[in-house]
């Protein structure tokens, strides 16, 4: 199977950003692009308790009507999805992608993406979505389920595209983040992107050694790179560095074994993603 950039769209305000970032990634990686739309049909009649004061005959008739409405809603959702996929394909072609593919699936977002994992080189998702991506009003457990389920890089994007020029790599010397640095060094996605490797912690010999390794690895691969060790609380420190250095792409290992790990667990995940105005690349 050919590795592809998979872009999940749902018609939310973030879909245009997903299209444009996915097209950029596809062209940079020289990898085919496929748009995916998931119709999540949850029957609303099966578990409904409609007995009450309604007579048996009336109840059966009502159930039939509700079943017909569910079927109509499913057809409308599928047609809306087809139109969204068609528009996404046309937008990607305008962005320069030769032959973007489209797929529509029934089920849940997590299950669908898991089924497509073997074909996925990079997954692009909107920061928030109107339907399948959203657990409530913001990112939450649904995103974490996607991240925990898939062992592929995931690019979470805002609603407006801006070509990345400055990337911040959150680094702590762990196996996960070292692997992330090596992935960045090898990836065509970062050609022409200046990389800032940041350790949040104390100025120690070990931290300095780890930072020097990361910067050298990137420079040896031909990338522009610099490093910094910053004291403070992880999330606040990374945000401050991002603002001070005009960072337009945040790169993180999805799960580490230090304080950075907490950026993707529980409430801090929600906070970081909700406030991030730039795309976030999660590496596994």
């Amino acid at each position: 199977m050919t590795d592809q950039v998979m872009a999940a769209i749902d018609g939310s305000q973030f879909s245009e950003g997903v299209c444009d970032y996915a097209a950029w990634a596809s062209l940079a990686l020289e990898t085919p692009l496929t748009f995916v739309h998931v119709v999540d049909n949850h029957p609303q009649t099966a578990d409904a308790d409609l007995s009450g004061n309604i007579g048996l005959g009336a109840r059966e008739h009502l159930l039939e009507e509700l079943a017909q409405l569910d079927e109509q809603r499913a057809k409308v959702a599928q047609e809306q999805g087809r139109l969204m996929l068609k528009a996404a394909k046309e937008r990607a072609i305008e962005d320069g992608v030769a032959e973007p593919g489209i797929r529509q699936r029934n089920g849940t977002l997590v299950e669908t993406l898991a089924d497509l994992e073997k074909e996925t080189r990079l997954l692009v998702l909107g920061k928030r979505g109107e339907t399948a991506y959203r657990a409530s009003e913001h990112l939450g457990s649904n995103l974490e389920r996607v991240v925990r389920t898939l062992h592929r890089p995931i690019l979470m994007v805002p609603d407006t595209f801006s070509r990345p020029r400055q990337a911040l790599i959150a680094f702590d010397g762990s196996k996960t983040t070292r692997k992330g640095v090596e992935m960045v060094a090898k990836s065509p996605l970062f050609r022409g992107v200046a990389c800032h490797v940041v350790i949040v912690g104390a100025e120690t010999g070990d931290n300095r050694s780890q930072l020097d390794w990361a910067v050298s690895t990137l420079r040896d691969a031909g990338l522009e790179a610099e490093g910094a060790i910053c004291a403070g609380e992880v999330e606040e420190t990374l945000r401050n560095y991002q603002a001070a250095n005009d960072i337009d792409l945040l790169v993180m290992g999805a799960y580490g074994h230090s304080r950075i790990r907490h950026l993707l667990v529980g409430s801090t995940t929600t906070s970081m993603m909700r406030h991030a105005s730039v795309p976030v690349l999660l590496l596994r």
Side-chain angles (χ1 to χ4, degrees), residues 76-217:
V76 170
Q78 288 177 343
E79 182 58 27
Q80 287 176 332
R82 282 192 287 270
L83 293 174
M84 281 187 276
L85 289 170
K86 181 176 182 290
K89 180 175 181 177
E90 292 173 351
R91 189 180 183 96
I93 291 174
E94 291 177 0
D95 288 338
V97 179
E99 297 180 359
I102 57 175
R103 296 189 186 185
Q104 187 175 60
R105 296 287 186 90
N106 290 315
T108 68
L109 180 67
V110 177
E111 291 172 349
T112 298
L113 296 178
D115 288 342
L116 298 174
E117 181 175 10
K118 290 183 179 180
E119 303 173 51
T120 304
R121 180 173 180 180
L122 173 68
L123 171 65
V124 183
L125 291 173
K127 177 185 169 188
R128 282 190 282 176
E130 294 300 331
T131 53
Y133 311 163
R134 191 170 70 176
S136 54
E137 293 182 353
H138 49 70
L139 289 170
S141 60
N142 219 23
L143 168 62
E144 291 193 6
R145 284 196 295 271
V146 171
V147 175
R148 291 180 186 278
T149 300
L150 268 67
H151 292 79
R152 294 290 187 271
I154 299 174
L155 181 63
M156 298 290 302
V157 303
D159 55 354
T160 303
F161 174 76
S162 177
R163 183 181 297 275
R165 302 295 183 188
Q166 305 273 347
L168 188 163
I169 303 173
F171 185 68
D172 63 10
S174 67
K175 181 179 178 181
T176 301
T177 57
R178 287 175 71 92
K179 181 180 178 182
V181 167
E182 292 171 343
M183 291 175 69
V184 169
K186 297 176 182 177
S187 175
L189 207 60
F190 291 87
R191 297 294 174 257
V193 177
C195 297
H196 299 247
V197 184
V198 178
I199 291 179
V200 180
E203 178 69 60
T204 64
D206 182 61
N207 278 344
R208 179 55 59 181
S209 175
Q210 295 282 6
L211 186 65
D212 289 345
W213 171 87
V215 172
S216 296
T217 299

Side-chain angles (χ1 to χ4, degrees), residues 50-51 53-66:
L50 302 174
S51 51
N53 296 322
I54 303 175
L56 180 59
R59 179 174 181 271
E60 289 177 347
H61 179 66
L62 181 57
L63 284 172
E64 290 177 1
E65 290 188 347
L66 289 174

